Amino acid sequence: MSKVGKIAKGVAIGLVLAIILNIALMAVIWFAGLRKYYKPPEALAAVRDYAVSDQLVKKSVLDQFASNPETKDAYALGVNQNGEPVFLKPKKAWKAAKKEYKEGRKAGDHELDLKHSSKTFYMAYIEAAKTCDSNDELTDLQKQRLKEWANFLEIYKNSFPEKARR
């Protein structure tokens, strides 16, 4: 019985060490490589608030963002140093949009066979929204929501460098 106990103890210690090494490896991968793609760089942050007179965003898109009083603050716009519209709080905007435009994301995922949308994979959704009117597999609501999701992504992408967009 003591031999089995020693073997079990060795296996348990081995598993704990493997878990610790796995966590350490994930931390290194995150901090050394992936973090830059998920955190908007300061160079692309808003330098001033967006004004309607800037005419960088269509009125219909501004109305879309203002349509839900619960998420209106999350979609507050600014302009970065490149003159592009950006969200003042991109993380908050992402969280609100992911929930609000769920039907559009799901339509892209399932009906159009796109990958999952994430903070680093979203350009295919913008392209799909441009041609979704000719797709008979989508309902009118799905088409509308996919376009709204793409409208959000068009602005969201300006908070990240081009190499981080996929």
Side-chain angles (χ1 to χ4, degrees):
M1 192 66 172
S2 67
K3 198 171 196 177
V4 173
K6 286 181 181 180
I7 292 172
K9 186 177 179 182
V11 169
I13 290 172
L15 283 173
V16 169
L17 287 175
I19 290 170
I20 291 171
L21 286 173
N22 193 12
I23 291 171
L25 179 64
M26 287 189 297
V28 167
I29 290 170
W30 171 256
F31 287 108
L34 295 177
R35 186 174 182 212
K36 63 185 172 192
Y37 296 116
Y38 286 87
K39 185 178 179 197
E42 290 294 321
L44 294 176
V47 293
R48 65 178 174 85
D49 287 341
Y50 179 81
V52 178
S53 61
D54 292 335
Q55 297 183 342
L56 298 171
V57 180
K58 294 179 187 175
K59 175 144 175 41
S60 60
V61 175
L62 292 174
D63 293 342
Q64 169 191 328
F65 293 149
S67 66
N68 186 346
E70 294 176 16
T71 58
K72 186 178 179 179
D73 292 338
Y75 300 132
L77 293 174
V79 178
N80 66 15
Q81 66 184 11
N82 299 337
E84 300 168 323
V86 294
F87 293 104
L88 293 176
K89 298 178 182 173
K91 281 185 179 181
K92 191 175 180 181
W94 175 265
K95 203 173 194 179
K98 192 173 177 187
K99 186 177 180 182
E100 190 168 358
Y101 307 122
K102 186 176 184 175
E103 296 94 350
R105 288 185 307 104
K106 295 297 180 188
D109 290 347
H110 301 298
E111 302 297 331
L112 302 178
D113 295 325
L114 297 174
K115 270 182 151 182
H116 70 286
S117 58
S118 70
K119 290 182 181 180
T120 60
F121 182 86
Y122 50 81
M123 296 301 288
Y125 290 84
I126 296 172
E127 294 302 315
K130 293 176 183 175
T131 59
C132 72
D133 285 332
S134 62
N135 190 319
D136 296 332
E137 296 176 24
L138 300 176
T139 66
D140 289 339
L141 176 64
Q142 287 175 323
K143 290 176 186 178
Q144 175 191 350
R145 287 303 197 177
L146 182 58
K147 289 177 186 176
E148 290 172 347
W149 177 238
N151 290 339
F152 166 78
L153 293 173
E154 282 286 350
I155 297 171
Y156 180 77
K157 73 178 183 178
N158 295 333
S159 292
F160 296 91
E162 222 165 294
K163 67 180 179 183
R165 303 175 193 170
R166 290 186 290 233

